[in-house]
Amino acid sequence: MTVTDKKKMLLAGTWVEKDETIDVYDPQDNSLITTVPKASRGDMLRAIEAAEEGAKIAASMPVHERVTIIERAASYIEMNREVYAETIASEGSKTITEARREVARCINTLRLSAEEASRIYGETIPFDQMPGHENRVGYYYRFPIGIIAAITPFNDPLNLVAHKIGPAIASGNAMIVKPATMTPLSALLLAEAFVEAGLPRNILSVITGSGSEVGDVLVSHPSIRMVSFTGGLETGTHIANKAGLKKLSMELGSNSPAIVLEDAHVEHAVESCVAGAFGAVGQNCLGVQRIFIDSSIYDSFVEKFVAETKKLKVGDKMDEATDMGPLISEAEAERVERIVEEAIEQGATLLTGGKRDGAFYEPTVLADVSPHATIVRDEIFGPVVSLFAIESLEEAVERANDVPFGLQAGIFTKNIAAAFHAIQHLEVGGIMINDSSDYRIDAMPFGGVKGSGLGREGVRYSILEMTDPKVVNFKLG
Ligand code: NAD
């Protein structure tokens, strides 16, 4: 394991150093971990030029070679899994336990990518359905689209990058990754796995730099055929405006709801929603942010929810006993603190939490929150959840939908008709019955509606986005 020591980025298959660098800090104590190169616009243009060659190599690589390379990369990560976990935990805000889970998911994402590489199928087309088109046979099959730009966020700095590189290589594309400025090391380590696995030069670059400086060059370049972005709505909207005529995959944020009905298993709902609200310090696109509880069980739910929340241990990320580490930066913790204070000024009741210490912010539960408060309208991306009493399922669904986002939702009930009502009427990309919005496996179609995004990830679904059908018609006789 070498990359992070050498402070290099991967530019077209070569590890490159730069005089200008970006400091990477551990948010827990603000200690400097290392530096990474600060790429220039010229570096990004070089990566794009090299990727033009890389796209040709990638497209002509037989599927069995793609499979071998991706499997080798997965095995390399497996062999060095603790280094990967420690890197995630030190540059980001996950605990070591959460980081180990992310490494396991990354290995799974890559193995799924290797499997799916062999399943990129087409279909035959019955041309003779149209009078005058008899005596024709044909089909379509899927071709790689070329060079894909991948831009990724800080909160899952390894697995969300694997969700882009794995399917891109599996489907014969070249890729340029711009990882989050605060957490570039995990993405560089992932690139190292692919270099060690024998990925030909020019197919993959991981360019470290400021999104606002090198991002526009990348997303607006005409050679880039697709932008696969995971991050916030504001950045996603900016990128969509800059990108011009190319495919867009937008995995954006949310303020996900959970609905707990009268007949729910309350202990299970509490446990699932506490984990869903405070995992990764609430810095999770699927995090539970708003819980709508049937008024008949509201008091008992609140009591249990607050008691469970108080059990969470906030502290040193590297301690296996810790449940919650710091937020990604002190500035982020201050932002969360401000939004909670604003909600309290507008009438919200603080049930537990609400205190900040540097980048640490306590797991916080609010009640009586105004429906107009920023804390429920926007994505909080921190450890804060708001509880609401509801009089009916219809009311819960209406209030759950009354926001500009729609990624996933959870509903806790034993009533199949209520579950189907929620499935029909909640405006989201995924509904979890008796799980919170935070439930996901890497093989399922994943993405949102409204301000939560465009397109779907989940390996097989990413491969569909990253390939174009090409139709073939044979006229016979
Ligand atoms: P962000 O939007 O601030 O940044 C995401 C990436 O965009 C970073 O790499 C950043 O450097 C880059 N960037 C910034 N300006 C750019 C520009 N002008 N051009 C190109 N790139 C630019 O997001 P973040 O704070 O890193 O992550 C948190 C957000 O990500 C939350 O909103 C969260 O919900 C979302 N997210 C979504 C999913 C999902 O799959 N739906 C998963 C994880 C996180």
Side-chain angles (χ1 to χ4, degrees), residues 151-155 178 180 230-232 235 238 252-253 285 379 381 446:
I151 299 175
T152 53
F154 72 81
N155 61 318
K178 210 304 283 168
T230 303
T235 318
H238 171 85
L252 309 178
C285 57
E379 177 182 44
F381 222 58
F446 177 71

Side-chain angles (χ1 to χ4, degrees), residues 22-25 91-92 154 179-185 328-329 332:
I22 298 173
D23 294 338
V24 183
Y25 294 99
E91 68 173 342
F154 72 81
T181 317
M182 283 183 285
T183 57
L185 305 177
I328 190 66
S329 64
E332 274 297 286

